Amino acid sequence: MTAALVAAGLGMIPGTAQAADPVPVAAGVAEAIAGASTSEGFHSPADRTIRTALPAAAGSGKANAKTAAPQTAQTAQTAEAVAPDAGANPTLAVDVSGTSYTAHGIELTTLITSADFALGVVIDWGDGKTDTTTAQGAAELHHSHTYEKSGEYQVKVTVTDTANAVQATNGGAFLTPGSDFTPHTPTRLLDTRYGTGTGAPAAKVPGQGSARVKVAGNAAVPAGVTAVVLNVTVTETVDSGYVTAWPGAGYDRPGTSNLNYTAGRSIPNLVIVPVGEDGYVELYNGGQQPVDLIADVTGYFTRASADGYTSMTPARFVDTREGLGTSPGKLAARTAFTTPISGLHGVPENITAVALNVTVTEPGGLGHLTAFSGEGPVPTASNLNFLAGQTVANAVIVPVAPDGTIKIFNGAYLPAHVVVDVVGYYSKDSKAAFLPFTPFRTLDTREEAYGWPGGRFRAREYITQGFTPEAATATGVEAYVLNTTVTETGGDGFLSVAPSPYPLPAPGEPAAPAGPRPGSSTLNWTTGAIVPNLVQASDGEHGVITFWNQGYQDADLVLDVFGVYQSK
């Protein structure tokens, strides 16, 4: 049996496409998410109940000769249950199950077996918080709780029958589906050109073949890692194709892609992918011809309490064309600039990592850029690759130095301009944890599917999609992890992604305004190019994201959804 990834019960809702008239674009997606079940949770059946005799209630006459001081759960597991037939409630027992469809939430179901007596119920959530209620005899109880941080919590339900001087306890260990982030110095885990990586041969990945990347236990990434942030690059290509990252053994390979490539081009993209139970992820070459693959780790997610995520409206921190954030003029060959991040433009102090969109433009020759902490040597890893004259953008997650800075290194032998937009940050004070979905495609303008009536993504127009069926503040949504791909481009242009300031209109109502046209870019393209980029996009106050074609020619847009950052 193959496994599925966690899908949150948030539900996407129909959006509107405003390249012409309003039309639905996400039909059926809400049902697909809501129908998926979580892989986390526990169930402790009633036969695991620990019964403990209590001191008899005054004047009750119910005390049994075997009545003794309460046992601990540990001793009760190895001893015969105390007074199993005490009083008039000999079958008192409790069945407890916990499940979740959100990053930090638990839905608890308690089934009480009991004679018709008044009962007191205490739920210990394992984080220092409790809930209390009452029941009368046999009952089914439902409770919800939200944990502040990711982790493992021991949940315990105690049912007390005072009249019969007996108590029943049961529970289990609950792992939050959401995981927190730990930044990692950019480090190369795989390079098939040179055999870099545990067990990786120095050979291209064949068409329709896969490369396995060891993550857990490699390069100081710990065991128990739930997901990893990789910068994946495909190079030495001789044909078109695509690359898909997934957990590998025991999991179905999704029908989505993480990056697309064409002949003779080196294409990078940031990937956030769950790690398999064996500690590996796999990179599938969906093309017909062999390619070389490179994977650099820049961070990972675990259930150990670490850093949450906070999304931002994209803010420009660096533009060497204007001298913003650094000296004006192109970044010289084989040099780096340092730029402060913490404490500027809404980013607080004491962050540990930052989510960026880094763009190179007007490069004098081929090369690469590397983003890294503002301290230490330049890593051997890269974040994006470019050719002479090419404009290329890529998502980057990079550690921030203790002084709040990062560095950008130009690995080329000729100068280039660099633009840096901040889209979010990680910190101890940020609450949102990463919750992966089974990846799914929600839009492809090349097809009359996903609620799309067909037709190109028109120049200077926009598409809106509803993601959260209620205000993001009510569901704890901080941002969605999307992969955007632009293809069949008729000219040069760029894509912008931003939360909509307006809710979706009700059926039959006029389309909502688009809101201000964003000034930042998510990805850039040239005529005929296929360009992917990861986006960590906030859906704002209304659960709606707008995608802008900022070019002057039509293109096609593909959207794949990989997960969500959520605080509840």
Side-chain angles (χ1 to χ4, degrees):
M1 177 184 295
T2 54
L5 303 181
V6 175
L10 299 173
M12 294 175 65
I13 55 179
T16 58
Q18 286 145 353
D21 297 322
V23 293
V25 297
V29 177
E31 291 80 2
I33 299 178
S37 62
T38 176
S39 61
E40 308 303 332
F42 71 91
H43 176 219
S44 188
D47 59 11
R48 297 181 184 174
T49 300
I50 300 171
R51 287 170 53 88
T52 306
L54 301 176
S60 68
K62 299 291 185 181
N64 186 283
K66 297 182 181 180
T67 299
Q71 299 182 32
T72 65
Q74 181 176 4
T75 59
Q77 287 173 351
T78 58
E80 182 179 354
V82 176
D85 58 348
N89 201 358
T91 61
L92 182 65
V94 57
D95 177 295
V96 182
S97 58
T99 190
S100 180
Y101 298 95
T102 60
H104 287 156
I106 179 173
E107 303 294 327
L108 193 72
T109 299
T110 302
L111 303 177
I112 300 172
T113 302
S114 174
D116 189 19
F117 288 97
L119 305 172
V121 182
V122 177
I123 302 169
D124 184 343
W125 297 108
D127 61 352
K129 298 179 181 179
T130 59
D131 282 342
T132 60
T133 189
T134 59
Q136 183 69 34
E140 178 175 330
L141 307 178
H142 297 275
H143 292 82
S144 300
H145 184 67
T146 300
Y147 294 100
E148 290 293 325
K149 298 293 287 183
S150 301
E152 179 177 338
Y153 296 92
Q154 296 294 325
V155 179
K156 183 175 66 174
V157 178
T158 301
V159 178
T160 303
D161 178 355
T162 303
N164 292 284
V166 64
Q167 191 174 77
T169 301
N170 202 352
F174 176 74
L175 284 169
T176 58
S179 303
D180 285 348
F181 180 73
T182 299
H184 191 288
T185 300
T187 305
R188 186 143 293 174
L189 299 186
L190 175 75
D191 190 336
T192 60
R193 299 172 300 177
Y194 309 116
T196 302
T198 305
K204 286 188 173 184
V205 180
Q208 312 292 297
S210 294
R212 301 184 75 228
V213 183
K214 181 176 175 58
V215 176
N218 190 14
V221 178
V225 60
T226 58
V228 63
V229 181
L230 299 174
N231 197 75
V232 177
T233 303
V234 59
T235 189
E236 304 295 338
T237 60
V238 296
D239 199 356
S240 298
Y242 65 92
V243 175
T244 296
W246 91 105
Y251 291 80
D252 291 325
R253 176 166 50 84
T256 54
S257 62
N258 293 96
L259 61 89
N260 297 70
Y261 60 84
T262 54
R265 300 288 291 272
S266 295
I267 305 294
N269 199 16
L270 196 69
V271 172
I272 301 178
V273 57
V275 177
E277 294 180 3
D278 60 359
Y280 284 78
V281 300
E282 291 197 27
L283 303 178
Y284 173 75
N285 173 19
Q288 298 296 323
Q289 300 298 323
V291 299
D292 277 311
L293 292 175
I294 302 166
D296 301 321
V297 60
T298 65
Y300 56 86
F301 295 87
T302 66
R303 290 190 179 90
S305 182
D307 299 325
Y309 182 69
T310 298
S311 180
M312 291 175 51
T313 299
R316 184 144 294 175
F317 273 58
V318 175
D319 191 336
T320 60
R321 299 169 299 181
E322 302 174 3
L324 175 65
T326 188
S327 301
K330 288 185 175 182
L331 176 59
R334 310 297 295 176
T335 62
F337 65 74
T338 300
T339 187
I341 298 293
S342 299
L344 297 175
H345 308 302
V347 177
E349 301 286 353
N350 301 317
I351 66 171
T352 57
V354 63
L356 311 171
N357 204 68
V358 178
T359 305
V360 62
T361 188
E362 301 178 32
L366 63 85
H368 68 273
L369 291 184
T370 299
F372 62 106
S373 168
E375 61 179 3
V378 178
T380 57
S382 64
N383 294 103
L384 59 86
N385 301 71
F386 51 84
L387 302 174
Q390 189 181 23
T391 299
V392 179
N394 199 29
V396 175
I397 298 176
V398 60
V400 174
D403 66 356
T405 63
I406 64 168
K407 288 184 178 180
I408 306 291
F409 173 73
N410 178 12
Y413 288 92
L414 289 169
H417 277 303
V418 178
V419 179
V420 178
D421 296 320
V422 174
V423 301
Y425 57 86
Y426 299 85
S427 72
K428 300 294 182 185
D429 295 329
S430 299
K431 301 298 184 184
F434 177 60
L435 181 66
F437 294 161
T438 300
F440 61 88
R441 182 154 292 172
T442 183
L443 177 67
D444 188 337
T445 61
R446 299 169 299 180
E447 303 179 18
E448 292 186 17
Y450 317 101
W452 183 255
R456 306 262 280 159
F457 187 12
R458 290 170 54 181
R460 308 300 290 176
E461 291 285 359
Y462 60 93
I463 293 172
T464 59
Q465 275 203 301
F467 280 77
T468 308
E470 53 189 290
T473 53
T475 56
V477 170
E478 189 67 33
Y480 283 87
V481 179
L482 313 172
N483 205 69
T484 56
T485 303
V486 172
T487 184
E488 305 292 340
T489 55
D492 296 351
F494 66 95
L495 177 76
S496 295
V497 181
S500 173
Y502 304 104
L504 290 178
E509 292 185 355
R517 186 178 292 273
S520 59
S521 64
T522 297
L523 60 83
N524 298 68
W525 67 80
T526 54
T527 303
I530 302 175
V531 183
N533 201 9
L534 185 86
V535 183
Q536 300 194 147
S538 168
D539 63 351
E541 296 181 358
H542 303 290
V544 180
I545 302 176
T546 305
F547 302 84
W548 292 83
N549 178 355
Q550 302 272 43
Y552 288 93
Q553 300 291 331
D554 294 351
D556 280 305
L557 176 65
V558 180
L559 299 178
D560 297 321
V561 184
F562 290 90
V564 68
Y565 287 97
Q566 192 181 27
S567 59
K568 296 184 179 181

